[in-house]
């Protein structure tokens, strides 16, 4: 097996940007050039040595030295192409497919198509090497920055989803952004509960863990969550270890409550139609329409027709009528979780500064805010 002269790993080597390197170094070089990242040198023997990536791992190796070696080998930044416009599965779906009309469930059927495009491509694997969590070794440890990046990806998907959601897709961008800011926190909970239930159904059940994204979990033990908060590198942070432990305990309580919500939710996550109905109801519940704003009131009235569809859907699928009340109770619990989490975010604001969720909620242009936060995560 050949050795890559940029990272000294034994792996397949090919011609990348004018030099013989491995695919990993090619991706590293492309990312660095595209994002115009300037890495500081660690000035450490173990991190800066030529074979650091191989023996210290890419996480701890000096990225400046690695990039310098790429340049020395002849990799040409001019050969790096600009990124192509993002083409998600949603953007590739024809409008007539996304909004396929069903005489009985027009809203639910349209939202189901949108959800299928966003959730079906989420791979859950039993390969332990691909699992990220707060009790994993260094290479797979769920750090604060990794969590931020994953959450931003989910929030970005939800914003994109609104562009294809029934009724909402017809609104102007400002109204969409307002609906997004009001509903993304609740929608994120709906998705996280879905992933946790999905893991449980595949045999990943563990009372001491809660899965929030595919193959990504939090421990419920505050002692293990302590390292998660300690991984937040912020030179201006006021948090000491005792503060981190107090924050970890608060997060642990919130996550335990979220896990209890998941246990109550099995009946509402059986099919994509169930999740679609729940998502639409979540959008309605989290958007209190300002009086006099007719531009906002009309679409909300149209969306509220989903209640009639849910009623018909439950009767056609021979559901227990009491599930109506259970659905409202579930949404109430989710909103309670969000309120508790807002208190937790205020605690984070004291020690770590403004959180990314607060920045998204307060930003006038959510897409620009998300893009900026993604760049910050990549730079870190």
């Amino acid at each position: 097996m050949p050795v890559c002269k940029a990272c000294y790993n034994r792996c397949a080597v090919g011609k990348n940007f004018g030099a013989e390197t491995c695919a990993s170094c090619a991706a590293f070089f492309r990312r660095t050039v595209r994002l115009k990242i300037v890495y500081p040198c660690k000035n450490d023997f173990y991190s800066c040595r030529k074979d650091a990536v191989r023996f210290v791992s890419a996480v701890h190796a000096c990225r400046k030295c690695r990039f310098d070696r790429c340049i020395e080998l002849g990799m040409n930044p001019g050969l790096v192409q600009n990124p192509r416009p993002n083409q998600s599965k949603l953007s590739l779906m024809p409008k007539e497919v996304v909004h396929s009309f069903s005489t009985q469930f027009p809203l639910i059927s349209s939202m189901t198509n949108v959800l299928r495009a966003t959730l079906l491509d989420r791979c859950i694997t039993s390969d332990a090497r691909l699992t990220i969590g707060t009790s994993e070794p260094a290479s797979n440890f769920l750090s604060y920055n990794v969590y931020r990046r994953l959450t931003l990806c989910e929030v970005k998907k939800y914003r994109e989803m609104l562009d294809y959601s029934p009724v909402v897709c017809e609104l102007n961008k400002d109204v969409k952004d307002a609906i997004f800011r009001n509903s993304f926190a609740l929608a994120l909970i709906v998705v996280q509960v879905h992933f946790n239930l999905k893991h449980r159904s595949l045999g990943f059940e563990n009372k001491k863990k809660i899965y929030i994204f595919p193959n990504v979990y939090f421990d419920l033990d505050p002692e293990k969550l302590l390292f998660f908060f300690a991984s937040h590198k912020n030179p201006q942070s006021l948090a000491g270890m005792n503060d981190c432990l107090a924050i970890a305990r608060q997060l642990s309580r919130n996550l335990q409550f979220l896990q209890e919500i998941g246990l109550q939710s099995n009946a509402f996550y059986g099919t994509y139609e169930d999740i679609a109905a729940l998502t639409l109801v979540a959008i309605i519940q989290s958007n209190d329409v300002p009086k006099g704003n007719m531009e906002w009131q009309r679409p909300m009235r149209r969306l509220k027709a989903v209640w009639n569809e849910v009623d018909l859907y439950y009767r056609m699928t021979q559901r227990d009528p009491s599930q109506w009340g259970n659905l409202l109770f579930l949404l109430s619990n989710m909103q309670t979780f969000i309120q508790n989490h807002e208190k937790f975010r205020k605690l984070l604001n004291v020690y770590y500064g403004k959180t990314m969720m607060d920045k998204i909620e307060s930003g006038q242009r959510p897409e620009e805010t998300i893009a900026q936060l993604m760049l910050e995560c990549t730079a870190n």
Side-chain angles (χ1 to χ4, degrees):
M1 183 71 74
V3 176
C4 172
K5 293 183 180 179
C7 65
Y8 285 79
N9 268 322
R10 292 187 177 276
C11 51
V13 172
K15 196 82 167 179
N16 295 302
F17 306 115
E20 297 283 339
T21 63
C22 66
S24 177
C25 286
F28 166 77
F29 184 79
R30 183 190 302 110
R31 182 170 62 251
T32 303
V33 173
R34 278 183 178 175
L35 299 177
K36 300 178 182 178
I37 302 173
V38 179
Y39 299 115
C41 184
K42 291 192 174 184
N43 293 315
D44 177 72
F45 172 75
Y46 292 102
S47 299
C48 296
R49 56 190 285 185
K50 290 183 177 181
D51 53 0
V53 176
R54 182 180 176 190
F55 292 104
V56 183
S57 87
V59 176
H60 301 290
C62 178
R63 289 178 286 186
K64 182 182 187 305
C65 293
R66 185 183 184 185
F67 183 72
D68 289 345
R69 282 196 297 275
C70 291
I71 296 294
E72 289 171 7
L73 288 171
M75 296 182 81
N76 184 0
L79 297 178
V80 178
Q81 297 179 356
N82 291 325
R84 295 169 185 164
N86 287 334
Q87 273 198 317
S88 66
K89 289 192 175 183
L90 282 175
S91 62
L92 296 174
M93 290 176 65
K95 288 282 185 180
E96 60 271 16
V97 174
V98 174
H99 297 290
S100 60
F101 182 79
S102 166
T103 54
Q104 293 176 314
F105 316 114
L107 294 174
I108 292 178
S109 63
S110 295
M111 195 66 183
T112 300
N113 287 328
V114 175
L115 281 171
R116 283 182 181 277
T118 53
L119 294 180
L120 275 180
D121 61 343
R122 320 306 294 281
C123 178
I124 296 175
T125 175
S126 58
D127 190 345
R129 294 173 299 177
L130 300 178
T131 299
I132 301 173
T134 48
S135 59
E136 296 292 317
S139 57
N140 286 19
F141 177 69
L142 178 62
S143 65
Y144 195 90
N145 195 53
V146 170
Y147 168 72
R148 288 181 69 203
R149 190 164 64 247
L150 292 172
T151 303
L152 285 169
C153 288
E154 293 300 326
V155 172
K156 184 179 178 182
K157 279 179 179 289
Y158 176 64
R159 177 61 187 87
E160 183 185 56
M161 194 175 78
L162 285 180
D163 288 332
Y164 291 84
S165 299
V167 180
V168 180
C169 67
E170 303 167 14
L171 305 176
N172 66 49
K173 192 173 186 303
D174 289 338
V175 177
K176 279 183 197 171
D177 287 343
I179 290 174
F180 165 79
R181 283 193 295 270
N182 292 336
S183 62
F184 82 92
L186 186 55
L188 194 61
I189 302 303
V190 171
V191 171
Q192 288 178 340
V193 171
H194 163 72
F195 287 137
N196 192 42
L197 290 174
K198 190 75 173 175
H199 279 87
R200 289 169 64 89
S201 68
L202 294 174
F204 289 80
E205 185 173 356
N206 188 326
K207 293 181 180 179
K208 296 181 180 179
K209 296 177 181 178
I210 180 169
Y211 284 85
I212 52 170
F213 303 125
N215 292 95
V216 179
Y217 70 85
F218 272 119
D219 282 285
L220 298 179
D221 182 1
E223 297 290 339
K224 292 183 178 178
L225 290 175
L226 172 64
F227 297 102
F228 167 76
F229 288 105
S231 69
H232 182 41
K233 302 292 189 298
N234 184 353
Q236 298 177 343
S237 173
L238 303 174
M241 290 304 287
N242 289 334
D243 300 315
C244 287
L245 183 58
I247 296 170
R249 285 173 178 158
Q250 181 63 48
L251 178 60
S252 176
R253 286 192 288 270
N254 288 358
L255 291 174
Q256 287 174 23
F257 183 45
L258 183 61
Q259 193 172 58
E260 290 173 12
I261 292 174
L263 295 175
Q264 304 165 4
S265 310
N266 273 315
F268 305 103
Y269 283 86
T271 64
Y272 280 105
E273 286 77 12
D274 290 328
I275 305 173
L278 185 58
T279 304
L280 287 169
V281 172
I283 292 173
I284 295 167
Q285 292 288 92
S286 54
N287 280 278
D288 293 327
V289 182
K291 291 182 179 179
N293 190 338
M294 296 305 296
E295 187 179 15
W296 204 341
Q297 283 180 352
R298 289 192 189 99
M300 282 299 116
R301 285 199 203 102
R302 288 172 60 194
L303 270 182
K304 285 178 182 177
V306 76
W307 288 111
N308 297 327
E309 292 187 18
V310 171
D311 183 40
L312 178 61
Y313 177 64
Y314 279 6
R315 281 190 278 125
M316 288 187 66
T317 52
Q318 298 180 343
R319 304 287 183 90
D320 187 342
S322 66
Q323 284 199 4
W324 259 106
N326 292 339
L327 176 61
L328 294 173
F329 182 65
L330 171 64
L331 286 168
S332 174
N333 279 339
M334 286 183 173
Q335 288 175 325
T336 302
F337 172 82
I338 290 172
Q339 290 170 2
N340 292 339
H341 208 62
E342 283 177 359
K343 296 176 184 176
F344 169 70
R345 279 160 51 185
K346 288 178 182 177
L347 190 62
L348 283 181
N349 287 343
V350 173
Y351 294 109
Y352 295 107
K354 200 171 185 180
T355 64
M356 63 177 178
M357 304 292 271
D358 291 319
K359 290 178 181 177
I360 294 171
E361 285 179 351
S362 60
Q364 290 299 314
R365 291 283 177 264
E367 290 169 318
E368 295 176 7
T369 306
I370 293 169
Q372 181 61 38
L373 289 169
M374 289 285 278
L375 283 175
E376 290 177 12
C377 289
T378 307
N380 292 332

